[in-house]
């Protein structure tokens, strides 16, 4: 058996604008998906998932099929589309491992454990895909480098998400730390220890719909296009603050970024409530992370005040500290 784990991420800056070629800075966080893979004697694939903030599920299917059958339909409390995506991600990851090792008929038992909320802007699917490809490839006695792995994981996300995926989540999960993404160029960048606090509203936004909404706004109003350009300028300023290890400036820029994302229509009442609870508690800055519409916010606070305040915010169902994770993919076994 081979076991690999990979981290989730937050966007420090730049989501949505990255779709239009602006740079973005995602950062890996200390919350992981752990995937165990064991080769089977047949060509089937059995997937057992726990703790994906759903009730857990098991599906078994032939190596070539793209999902579970009706009888095995899992008991879950999340949107069906998310669940189909979850099986699609594992299926795609196994396809990439088979391709990388030239073993099209290899079958596997896959067990997933994750403490990253699903579909909430924390890169849960990327972490699962990165860890699954790595564990399956190692189970077959091979290894692939982090860039190849990240690119294969991106291809899986691109397929499952119908082309609506940037390389941010998969590259960040594979390499860890802070990353600069601009188009197809992804590079690790230096960053100080970042005291992230995350608030989760228990829901998820629809990335495709939210990206579509921003696209429409940009087509209708010139100033919406200027807003995504302004986010790009803000990201470049943020890179300088990271280099200077200036947490106060980073916080201020996070607040600014949230304002611009709100102007683009991708925030939500629950996200705004959590952002303001964090700011009122003394966080250096706070913003939504990921596509928006619901899901998570990220704040910067070294003290325990933001976690405490979010704990008393009705719109927040979970608040936790998750510092920058300098380590990306990790072979556990
Ligand atoms: O919600 P997430 O973590 O998948 O982030 C989506 C970020 C977008 O910029 C809106 C889209 C993308 O693929 O970059």
């Amino acid at each position: 058996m081979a076991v690999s784990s990979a981290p989730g991420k937050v966007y420090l800056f730049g989501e949505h604008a990255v779709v239009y070629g602006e740079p973005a800075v995602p950062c890996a966080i200390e919350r992981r998906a752990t995937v165990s893979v064991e080769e089977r004697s047949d060509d089937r694939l059995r997937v057992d998932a726990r703790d994906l903030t759903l009730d857990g599920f098991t599906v078994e299917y032939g190596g070539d099929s793209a999902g579970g059958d009706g009888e095995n339909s899992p008991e879950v409390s999340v949107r069906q589309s998310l669940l189909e995506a979850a099986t699609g991600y594992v299926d795609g990851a196994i396809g990439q491992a088979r391709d990388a090792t030239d073993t099209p008929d290899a079958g596997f038992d896959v067990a997933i454990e994750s403490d990253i909320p699903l579909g909430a802007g924390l890169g849960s699917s990327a972490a699962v895909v990165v860890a699954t490809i790595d564990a399956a490839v190692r189970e077959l006695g091979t290894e692939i480098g982090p860039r190849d792995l990240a690119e294969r994981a991106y291809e899986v996300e691109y397929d499952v998400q119908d082309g609506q995926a940037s390389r941010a989540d998969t590259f960040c999960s594979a390499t860890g730390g802070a990353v600069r993404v601009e188009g197809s160029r992804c590079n690790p960048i230096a960053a100080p220890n970042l005291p992230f606090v995350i608030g989760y509203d228990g829901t998820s936004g629809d990335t495709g719909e939210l990206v579509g909404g921003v696209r429409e706004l940009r087509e209708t109003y010139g100033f919406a296009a200027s807003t995504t350009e302004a986010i790009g300028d803000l990201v470049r300023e943020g890179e300088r603050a990271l280099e200077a290890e200036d947490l106060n400036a980073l916080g201020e820029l996070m607040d600014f970024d949230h304002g611009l994302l709100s102007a683009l229509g991708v925030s939500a009442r629950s996200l705004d409530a959590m952002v303001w609870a964090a700011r009122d508690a003394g966080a250096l800055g706070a913003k939504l992370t990921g596509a928006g519409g619901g899901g998570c916010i990220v704040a910067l606070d070294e003290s325990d005040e933001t976690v405490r305040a979010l704990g008393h915010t009705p719109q927040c169902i979970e608040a936790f500290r998750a510092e920058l994770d300098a380590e990306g993919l990790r072979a556990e076994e």
Side-chain angles (χ1 to χ4, degrees):
M1 185 171 69
V3 184
S4 300
S5 75
K9 66 101 210 356
V10 291
Y11 268 98
L12 185 57
F13 308 116
E15 54 272 84
H16 283 287
V18 73
V19 174
Y20 306 98
E22 301 293 346
V25 179
C27 293
I29 53 165
E30 286 172 331
R31 280 250 163 165
R32 288 186 165 252
T34 303
V35 181
S36 314
V37 176
E38 189 150 25
E39 198 179 358
R40 294 169 63 107
S41 52
D42 56 26
D43 66 354
R44 291 175 70 78
L45 180 58
R46 182 178 195 275
V47 182
D48 189 6
R50 300 264 167 259
D51 304 335
L52 289 164
T53 66
L54 38 89
D55 297 341
F57 64 87
T58 302
V59 283
E60 182 169 335
Y61 46 100
D64 293 336
S65 88
D69 58 36
E71 275 174 38
N72 274 332
S73 269
E75 291 272 317
V76 291
S77 55
V78 295
R79 279 189 284 118
Q80 187 63 22
S81 58
L82 271 182
L83 186 65
E84 279 160 15
T87 48
Y89 288 121
V90 179
D91 215 34
I94 291 298
Q96 285 292 340
R98 286 176 175 141
D99 179 65
T101 53
D102 208 11
T103 52
D105 298 323
F108 301 94
D109 287 333
V110 177
I112 303 167
E113 279 184 38
S114 173
D115 55 10
I116 309 166
L118 196 67
L122 297 186
S124 58
S125 56
V128 167
V129 171
V130 165
T132 303
I133 297 176
D134 184 68
V137 163
R138 289 193 301 110
E139 172 70 357
L140 295 171
T142 314
E143 281 195 21
I144 55 176
R147 280 198 181 259
D148 186 12
L149 181 76
E151 194 57 26
R152 286 181 179 277
Y154 164 67
E155 278 173 34
V156 175
E157 289 231 309
Y158 189 88
D159 275 356
V160 178
Q161 294 169 204
D162 293 328
Q164 307 262 28
S166 73
R167 285 174 169 78
D169 291 22
T170 40
F171 189 85
C172 194
S173 186
T175 62
V179 164
R180 182 184 205 276
V181 179
E182 190 171 4
S184 58
R185 292 191 302 278
C186 305
N187 288 301
I189 54 173
N193 186 32
L194 297 170
F196 291 131
V197 175
I198 287 158
Y200 175 39
D201 72 0
T203 74
S204 59
D206 184 324
T207 302
E209 226 171 73
L210 290 151
V211 169
V214 173
R215 178 162 291 126
E216 245 173 63
L217 268 184
R218 275 175 47 101
E219 282 162 8
T220 312
Y221 301 113
F223 51 80
S226 309
T227 305
T228 51
E229 280 167 29
I231 293 177
D233 290 340
L234 183 152
V235 174
R236 285 179 276 274
E237 194 67 42
E239 286 179 72
R240 287 189 278 277
L242 268 178
E243 213 172 285
E245 304 197 356
D246 185 344
L247 295 195
N248 288 316
L250 287 173
E252 199 166 82
L253 292 167
M254 287 168 77
D255 284 341
F256 209 126
D257 199 1
H258 184 76
L260 295 175
L261 289 165
S262 298
L264 291 172
V266 298
S267 191
R269 223 174 251 272
S270 55
L271 298 176
D272 289 343
M274 293 191 289
V275 159
W276 278 106
R279 289 175 184 162
D280 288 346
L284 298 176
K287 63 181 279 293
L288 65 85
T289 170
C296 290
I297 63 127
V298 56
L300 214 52
D301 189 359
E302 267 158 359
S303 81
D304 294 331
E305 294 305 315
T306 297
V307 175
R308 193 171 303 137
L310 286 171
H312 292 114
T313 305
Q315 291 86 350
C316 179
I317 66 145
E318 200 189 346
F320 53 91
R321 181 169 280 296
E323 303 206 345
L324 179 71
D325 190 345
E327 199 181 8
L329 172 73
R330 188 160 73 208
E332 305 281 355
E333 212 176 299

